[in-house]
Amino acid sequence: MLQRLFLGFAPSSIQRQQLLLLQQSLALQITPNAKPVTRTNLHLTLAFLGLANPTQVALLLDGVDKLAKPQFSVTLDSIALWPKAQVCYLKGDNISSELALLASQAQDLAQQLQLHRSEHPFRPHISLFRKAKPSGILVSELTLKELVQQKVIQASMLELTLTPEQLHLYLSASGNHGVEYQILHSWPLA
């Protein structure tokens, strides 16, 4: 049986709450049919791996076991939109060497296992809305500071800094309420 997988990091429960508040503040700036990402699905993707068979999953688990998994911090401080994918997301442009190493290793492992390999460079982000189209002030990238100045969001939300303690292997599965992300395996970052 094929499983749709990705590697990523979960925000803390406090950060999830901050992200939900950000979504609520942005809701009026997003097209009405945009769908907010659910609380439990909020994550930062390291590598989308696509469909994997049981042999590839076993090799993936073994491969990630062997990777260097350094701790890192990443600050997300801008809102942007991918028009073609119709995704509104929170992003950061400064990638630490530790996070860059993790992203590179994940792509190399995906290639070795003949899984999906991204054609785009790694960009740390957390998707906030799906089916989002340019609308209102969200026709171009804006920093959270600019959104505070325009009184769209509260001053307490100038940035979100993730310092995850674990790397997760997620399963993307269709559930009763749409797509649900389930953690299949976790590795500590050291």
Side-chain angles (χ1 to χ4, degrees):
M1 180 173 107
L2 295 177
Q3 295 180 308
R4 190 177 185 88
L5 305 174
F6 63 92
L7 291 167
F9 307 98
S12 69
S13 58
I14 291 170
Q15 290 170 330
R16 285 182 198 273
Q17 192 59 38
Q18 291 173 310
L19 291 163
L20 291 176
L21 290 172
L22 181 59
Q23 284 176 323
Q24 290 170 3
S25 298
L26 292 173
L28 297 175
Q29 305 298 327
I30 301 284
T31 48
N33 62 339
K35 305 261 187 259
V37 173
T38 61
R39 182 184 208 287
T40 54
N41 279 1
L42 292 167
H43 69 280
L44 188 146
T45 301
L46 180 67
F48 175 72
L49 303 169
L51 294 173
N53 64 42
T55 301
Q56 288 170 312
V57 172
L59 292 169
L60 177 65
L61 292 171
D62 185 54
V64 176
D65 280 344
K66 296 173 182 170
L67 296 181
K69 294 175 282 297
Q71 287 187 318
F72 66 91
S73 290
V74 61
T75 299
L76 309 176
D77 60 3
S78 298
I79 297 292
L81 192 80
W82 282 316
K84 187 175 177 184
Q86 296 185 342
V87 172
C88 175
Y89 59 98
L90 177 63
K91 70 177 217 105
D93 290 324
N94 295 323
I95 303 172
S96 67
S97 58
E98 295 85 2
L99 180 53
L101 173 66
L102 277 165
S104 173
Q105 291 180 119
Q107 289 300 312
D108 291 346
L109 183 58
Q111 185 173 18
Q112 289 169 20
L113 300 178
Q114 298 181 328
L115 295 169
H116 175 81
R117 186 175 160 126
S118 179
E119 63 273 11
H120 303 289
F122 176 69
R123 291 176 271 189
H125 71 280
I126 296 176
S127 296
L128 298 174
F129 293 91
R130 306 230 181 266
K131 297 186 181 174
K133 296 179 181 166
S135 174
I137 62 170
L138 291 178
V139 291
S140 63
E141 183 176 315
L142 291 168
T143 65
L144 294 178
K145 186 175 182 178
E146 291 169 323
L147 289 170
V148 168
Q149 291 168 346
Q150 295 181 33
K151 299 187 181 348
V152 173
I153 63 173
Q154 297 175 2
S156 60
M157 187 65 188
L158 288 175
E159 63 184 31
L160 182 76
T161 299
L162 293 178
T163 307
E165 296 179 3
Q166 295 183 312
L167 169 64
H168 302 293
L169 175 63
Y170 289 88
L171 169 67
S172 175
S174 294
N176 294 336
H177 304 289
V179 174
E180 297 173 1
Y181 301 145
Q182 303 163 13
I183 295 174
L184 296 180
H185 196 84
S186 299
W187 296 266
L189 301 179

